[in-house]
Amino acid sequence: MNTPDNESFRDSLGTMTNDGKRAWVFPKKPNGKFYSYRKTVSYVLLVFLMAAPFVKINGNQFLMFNILERRFNILGFPFWPQDFHLFVLSMLVGVIFIALFTVAFGRIFCGWICPQTIFMEMVFRRIEYWIEGDRGAQMRLDKQVWNTDKIKKRGIKWFLFLVISFIIANVFLAYLIGSDKVLKYVLEGPLNHLSTLVSLLIFTAVFYFVFAWFREQVCIIACPYGRLQGVLLDTKSIVVAYDYKRGEAENGRKKFRKNEDREALGFGDCIDCFQCVNVCPTRIDIRNGTQLECVNCTACIDECDYIMESVNLPKGLIRYTSEEDIEEKKKFEFTPRLKGYSAVLLILTGVLIGMLLLRNDVEARVLRLPGQLYEHKEYNIISNVFTYKLINKTTKDVNDISFKLRKYKGTIKIVSTEKTFVVPSQGLAEGTLFIELPQSELDGDKNKLMIEVYSGKDLLETTTVNFLGPRSYK
């Protein structure tokens, strides 16, 4: 890639001063075609993010990540601790999906889909523009002494930031513990659930800190995805890039002068207006090439297109393109690397779908009681004692549960006053049972039995156990 001269090339973070202090970013308010597209996508995703915990499919929350109880709902599918392998597999599918799109289209996830970017740029930043004005007005207000005007503007802004952070914290809590619990705690009163209230206030403080102060530092310092893109990107990846071939030409950049023949003088189309830097929310100069901080927000594309149009030069000096396209005019290709990622993604997705389809709504576990041998009863009956655990993954009670043996002529006796029992919704039932078989049915000292679990006449699940008997009975 063409490298600018040493005086202009960035060798430090754009959000840090020469003495190592934080340089506050005052980005210019973006405007243009891509920004309009981003607003549409962002508002749709905002509605989705705020509504997802409160939407239910077959009684299951659409999205829930209850880490403490290891219970997760993804797209309405419930994942219990026993389904942790399925949850891990679904996360792997998500990671490969993001990796595939990063290889093909760079950090497009950050600029268009990431909740941090959406809330920062489309909620908090827009409130800031509304109250304090655009870049110039914000910079003047920052340098202004603390008079009535500054206190009023900053006070209103910070109050609104706090309110929105509190709302986001409630939604975040609904993702963690479930929307039903959050609504229940609200109706019962916060003081009756002090531990939850403290957690909510901590989340509020974290979100307020992130969006009111930490801001773009999340993308630059905290988020590992920026480092990951350095491994995934190559010269074929489509990213937000500056066409240095056209912008620099033979003699580099030059300020715009009316009626000047730039092409004859050997100057590129870049008029060095610095607007692509002013509009950048992470304060980088895209002309230095693809950088860690670039989140592919396209603000520089819109701003550069506007400037090019204003000076009667072709748009597209900054655009979605690849290094190969700029250097060698090679168009995007579905490379072997992309094919490999796509194949892995399809295989993992197929495996996940197959495992989800084979998964039962009620999971049964029957295990021998530790330390217990078989019992020889009268009439040559051999008895073994087992413990059972039934997990109901649905939102409805499962009634009239019974156990039956497959292929063997024996009996199963549940240690209970009732012949059948109920497994509560999203709960479990456990207890003890005896399996009794005629000695003539046994083939040796260890026999594998298959137990069927029924709800009425409907077969719910099958499981196997080892049944112990005498070493020799003939």
Side-chain angles (χ1 to χ4, degrees), residues 159-228:
F159 174 74
L160 290 177
F161 281 7
L162 187 63
V163 171
I164 295 172
S165 297
F166 181 74
I167 294 171
I168 296 173
N170 277 273
V171 176
F172 182 71
L173 196 63
Y175 276 106
L176 289 182
I177 66 174
S179 57
D180 290 340
K181 283 188 179 180
V182 171
L183 294 174
K184 176 186 174 185
Y185 294 164
V186 170
L187 292 175
E188 291 179 355
L191 296 179
N192 294 322
H193 304 279
L194 286 177
S195 60
T196 305
L197 178 61
V198 170
S199 301
L200 184 62
L201 294 177
I202 291 174
F203 289 145
T204 301
V206 169
F207 287 122
Y208 182 80
F209 169 76
V210 167
F211 294 116
W213 190 83
F214 205 48
R215 301 190 154 205
E216 73 284 341
Q217 303 298 312
V218 173
C219 307
I220 298 172
I221 299 173
C223 180
Y225 185 50
R227 277 75 180 167
L228 182 64

Side-chain angles (χ1 to χ4, degrees), residues 211-257:
F211 294 116
W213 190 83
F214 205 48
R215 301 190 154 205
E216 73 284 341
Q217 303 298 312
V218 173
C219 307
I220 298 172
I221 299 173
C223 180
Y225 185 50
R227 277 75 180 167
L228 182 64
Q229 74 164 345
V231 179
L232 295 174
L233 293 183
D234 57 25
T235 57
K236 298 176 176 62
S237 302
I238 302 295
V239 295
V240 173
Y242 165 67
D243 189 343
Y244 52 86
K245 290 278 190 180
R246 175 187 152 193
E248 309 293 324
E250 297 176 8
N251 296 325
R253 312 163 190 162
K254 187 179 185 295
K255 295 290 184 181
F256 177 76
R257 288 185 180 179

Side-chain angles (χ1 to χ4, degrees), residues 322-355:
S322 66
E323 173 69 16
E324 281 196 348
D325 185 29
I326 294 173
E327 188 70 34
E328 304 173 20
K329 303 300 179 184
K330 284 187 177 180
K331 297 303 179 183
F332 177 76
E333 296 178 356
F334 197 60
T335 63
R337 190 181 181 196
L338 288 175
K339 292 176 183 177
Y341 278 113
S342 300
V344 172
L345 180 62
L346 286 173
I347 292 170
L348 288 177
T349 304
V351 172
L352 177 62
I353 292 173
M355 294 177 75

